[in-house]
């Protein structure tokens, strides 16, 4: 059964208090080194484990070539984009590199492909999406007409709805007009 380091440190400290065992006897009893016993007696909390330095990737020498292939794929049709087996083939044939395993290359490509796509779109961001428009007050408006039916004094009439929208403020005016008698109605809100 696996016990935590905190549990082990607590047991070592208790054995020292209750039985007065030496560091060597504690190490033998708990099957740990004397350095571990010393650390346990100095502090009830085990020190944080040091994380090992990050290892260099086996792909380090060819990452630039893989990135170049992925950049070529940005403009290629989907059927012509590089797959992981094809990338491994090209690395072996063109750069005499045979250390890359499919999972290693796949992990790298799955992380790098979206990053390269984002980097490419970064330069073209102004071409995508909307273009902000700045309008000055009273300079521009949009006008539209639409047919609709209005019930007025028990009679149903076909009218035209006049709509004016100011571009700067976004405020709008709507007026129904009865074309048969040329009357403009004011709609109650």
């Amino acid at each position: 059964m696996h016990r935590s380091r905190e549990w082990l440190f607590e047991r070592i400290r208790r054995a020292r208090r209750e039985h007065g065992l030496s560091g060597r006897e504690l190490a033998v009893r708990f099957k740990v080194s004397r350095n571990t016993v010393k650390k346990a007696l100095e502090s009830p909390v085990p020190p944080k484990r040091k994380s090992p330095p990050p290892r260099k990737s086996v792909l380090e020498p060819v990452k630039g070539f893989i990135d170049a292939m992925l950049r070529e794929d940005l403009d290629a049709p989907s059927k012509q984009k590089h797959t992981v087996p094809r990338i491994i083939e090209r690395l072996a044939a063109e750069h005499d590199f045979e250390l890359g395993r499919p999972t290693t290359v796949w992990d790298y490509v799955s992380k790098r492909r979206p990053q390269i796509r984002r980097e490419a779109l970064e330069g073209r961001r102004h071409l995508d999406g909307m273009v902000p428009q700045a309008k000055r007050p009273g300079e521009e408006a949009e006008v539209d007409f639409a047919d609709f039916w209005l019930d007025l004094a028990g009679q149903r009439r076909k009218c035209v709805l006049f709509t004016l929208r100011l571009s700067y403020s976004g405020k709008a005016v709507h007026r129904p007009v009865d074309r048969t008698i040329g009357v403009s109605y004011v709609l109650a809100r």
Side-chain angles (χ1 to χ4, degrees):
M1 180 176 188
H2 178 71
R3 304 285 187 178
S4 69
R5 285 180 56 86
E6 289 83 4
W7 177 87
L8 177 65
F9 273 38
E10 188 267 327
R11 299 289 294 196
I12 291 172
R13 292 169 69 86
R14 183 182 298 164
R16 175 66 168 250
R17 259 192 332 267
E18 293 175 358
H19 305 294
L21 299 176
S22 70
R24 181 173 293 194
E25 291 169 329
L26 289 169
V28 169
R29 183 175 190 178
F30 291 102
K31 298 179 180 142
V32 294
S33 71
R34 284 188 282 165
N35 284 338
T36 303
V37 170
K38 181 181 173 191
K39 289 177 187 174
L41 296 175
E42 288 173 356
S43 171
V45 178
K48 299 264 188 215
R49 291 185 183 254
K50 293 178 185 173
S51 58
R55 292 187 326 178
K56 275 188 138 184
S57 171
V58 73
L59 297 178
E60 205 62 47
V62 292
K63 281 184 177 179
F65 301 118
I66 295 173
D67 288 352
M69 288 182 224
L70 297 177
R71 283 190 183 90
E72 289 173 17
D73 289 349
L74 290 173
D75 298 325
S78 62
K79 293 278 188 173
Q80 294 177 7
K81 292 186 179 184
H82 287 90
T83 61
V84 170
R86 179 67 182 129
I87 290 172
I88 293 171
E89 272 179 35
R90 281 190 63 186
L91 290 175
E94 297 172 15
H95 304 288
D96 198 30
F97 182 80
E98 304 206 3
L99 297 175
R101 298 287 163 245
T103 55
T104 309
V105 176
W106 188 88
D107 288 341
Y108 179 74
V109 168
S110 66
K111 278 188 244 167
R112 262 319 263 161
R113 189 171 267 150
Q115 291 172 348
I116 288 174
R117 194 175 303 124
R118 273 195 303 275
E119 290 168 7
L121 291 176
E122 192 68 31
R124 294 188 258 172
R125 187 184 327 179
H126 68 282
L127 300 177
D128 296 338
M130 70 167 212
V131 177
Q133 298 181 7
K135 307 291 184 191
R136 293 198 307 252
E139 183 178 80
E140 194 173 305
E142 299 170 5
V143 174
D144 197 9
F145 294 92
D147 292 338
F148 81 104
W149 291 92
L150 178 66
D151 289 330
L152 186 65
Q155 283 189 324
R156 190 165 191 83
R157 294 178 177 258
K158 183 177 180 183
C159 299
V160 176
L161 181 67
F162 168 80
T163 303
L164 171 94
R165 185 181 159 280
L166 300 172
S167 297
Y168 176 75
S169 65
K171 301 218 181 216
V173 176
H174 305 284
R175 294 285 182 259
V177 178
D178 187 347
R179 295 172 70 183
T180 57
I181 56 174
V183 176
S184 175
Y185 301 106
V186 177
L187 294 176
R189 291 185 187 187

